[in-house]
Amino acid sequence: MAEVLVLVDHANGTVRKTTSELLTIARRLGEPSAVFVGDGFDAAKETLAKYGAEKVYRVESADVTDYLVAPQAELLAQLVEKTSAAAVLIPSNSAGKEIAARLAIKTDSGLITDAVDVQAGEGGGVSTTQSVFAGSYSVKSVVTKGTPIITVKPNSATPEEAAGAAADEVFEPTISEAAKGAKVTESKPKEATGRPELTEAAIVVSGGRGTGGDFSPVETFADSLGAAVGASRAAVDAGWYPHTSQVGQTGKQVSPQLYVACGISGAIQHRAGMQTSKTIIAINKDEEAPIFELVDFGVVGDLFTVLPQATEAVNAAKG
Ligand code: FAD
């Protein structure tokens, strides 16, 4: 079976959920081989094996790790050639999309970004689905040239366990001087909030313009549930919450078990980032707000009254 390369998304060996999703997808197409760049492989190995990686190419060369993303495209191009890979799957984040674009040029291959589904196509190809125009159209595509290079959005597959050998091999790429044009001079983790990562959280509580800039009841309620905090673009544009927390078409796509929208009207661009959540609750003063069209439970009320009561009830239930 042909190898399918999966670029691992991790922080010092803590593998992000997107990687288990990509390994799950890779098994539909061939034999998953993870590509692990940087330190922390020992911590990552168990997770990579658990989701079916048969091989892991470890890249520890400072020629890659000391620079921004260009060397990663070169090393992946060399691995594509070495393995005759059936496809390359890359997380759809900003770094991933840059790597994928550079890789497609280097390998003279077709590129599909932001796929929400990837399946084995008829006749051995790879068939992908993209969701466009804020989710109102679904586009199916196939790569017709070279090795399919595909970036996949988070939450596009449910990670499924399948024991893999995760046999590791150190891979020493040859990196050109041109790819070393931008060096990392400092890298420090952002201040820990103690909350889960937005795209990985089982529960997300989001605030919108209705908060008037005061996110404290949203955060307190989120913390009572162990949830991540999201925000609408209106709240982000107003400078009330960071862009990294924006949910929607031009923000992050989330698909938690529970999504609670507080003071958010439910514009189509917001829905594009959260409408696949399993259960949706909205709190809004306006009973005509469009968000109520897609909720499982709706509360018509002022979030500054409803959220403290809900927080109290959750804390009481926890004892
Ligand atoms: P509003 O639409 O102003 O809604 C605020 C809601 O709060 C109202 O329904 C109101 O009834 C309610 N409210 C007010 N006070 C209270 C209170 N005290 N208690 C309870 N409810 C209250 N938006 C995104 O969110 N994400 C995106 O990624 C995104 N991308 C976009 C891309 C493009 C190209 C464009 C054109 C727009 C995009 N938008 C995006 C913006 C989107 O169209 C909306 O403008 C935005 O989602 C509105 O945010 P909101 O719901 O917080 O604000």
Side-chain angles (χ1 to χ4, degrees):
M1 231 193 312
E3 290 181 46
V4 176
L5 300 175
V6 170
L7 183 61
V8 176
D9 189 7
H10 71 100
N12 289 322
T14 304
V15 178
R16 297 205 170 87
K17 188 169 139 245
T18 44
T19 300
S20 24
E21 292 165 9
L22 294 195
L23 289 170
T24 302
I25 290 172
R27 295 207 302 276
R28 300 172 190 159
L29 312 174
E31 196 171 273
S33 291
V35 181
F36 186 91
V37 178
D39 295 332
F41 172 71
D42 289 344
K45 181 169 177 157
E46 195 184 326
T47 310
L48 299 177
K50 186 170 154 192
Y51 291 99
E54 289 298 342
K55 276 192 204 150
V56 184
Y57 296 103
R58 293 169 62 178
V59 181
E60 287 159 1
S61 162
D63 279 355
V64 177
T65 54
D66 284 1
Y67 295 87
L68 293 181
V69 298
Q72 296 191 46
E74 285 197 352
L75 82 86
L76 282 170
Q78 288 160 31
L79 276 173
V80 165
E81 198 182 329
K82 173 181 154 86
T83 62
S84 304
V88 184
L89 303 179
I90 296 175
S92 248
N93 49 38
S94 51
K97 284 194 256 191
E98 183 177 343
I99 293 167
R102 289 171 179 269
L103 176 61
I105 291 166
K106 283 185 190 307
T107 56
D108 199 16
S109 297
L111 164 70
I112 294 171
T113 56
D114 287 340
V116 294
D117 192 23
V118 183
Q119 298 287 344
E122 282 168 26
V126 179
S127 166
T128 68
T129 307
Q130 290 158 299
S131 176
V132 301
F133 296 133
S136 49
Y137 278 84
S138 152
V139 177
K140 285 199 188 303
S141 317
V142 290
V143 165
T144 54
K145 190 177 182 206
T147 308
I149 314 289
I150 299 160
T151 77
V152 186
K153 279 201 163 190
N155 298 308
S156 296
T158 306
E160 286 165 18
E161 294 183 17
D168 62 304
E169 171 184 329
V170 173
F171 181 68
E172 295 276 5
T174 309
I175 302 300
S176 69
E177 285 308 308
K180 295 194 278 184
K183 188 166 184 170
V184 177
T185 54
E186 189 185 2
S187 165
K188 52 182 181 189
K190 64 178 183 201
E191 226 171 275
T193 60
R195 299 191 183 104
E197 166 71 22
L198 187 57
T199 53
E200 307 208 338
I203 305 176
V204 175
V205 182
S206 288
R209 204 193 310 266
T211 62
D214 180 3
F215 263 64
S216 54
V218 172
E219 290 180 332
T220 310
F221 181 56
D223 290 343
S224 74
L225 294 166
V229 175
S232 73
R233 178 160 159 181
V236 170
D237 284 352
W240 300 339
Y241 231 67
H243 180 254
T244 47
S245 302
Q246 183 177 314
V247 172
Q249 184 186 333
T250 43
K252 293 199 169 133
Q253 192 174 33
V254 301
S255 197
Q257 295 298 320
L258 174 64
Y259 187 87
V260 187
C262 311
I264 293 176
S265 61
I268 187 164
Q269 296 90 352
H270 188 79
R271 293 178 188 209
M274 45 65 75
Q275 62 196 356
T276 55
S277 304
K278 307 295 170 294
T279 300
I280 298 171
I281 298 179
I283 302 163
N284 198 302
K285 280 202 303 201
D286 175 10
E287 63 179 52
E288 303 287 330
I291 190 84
F292 286 129
E293 290 162 14
L294 84 159
V295 298
D296 297 283
F297 302 103
V299 182
V300 179
D302 187 327
L303 69 89
F304 292 97
T305 310
V306 176
L307 283 177
Q309 288 175 9
T311 306
E312 207 179 303
V314 170
N315 288 337
K318 286 195 292 198

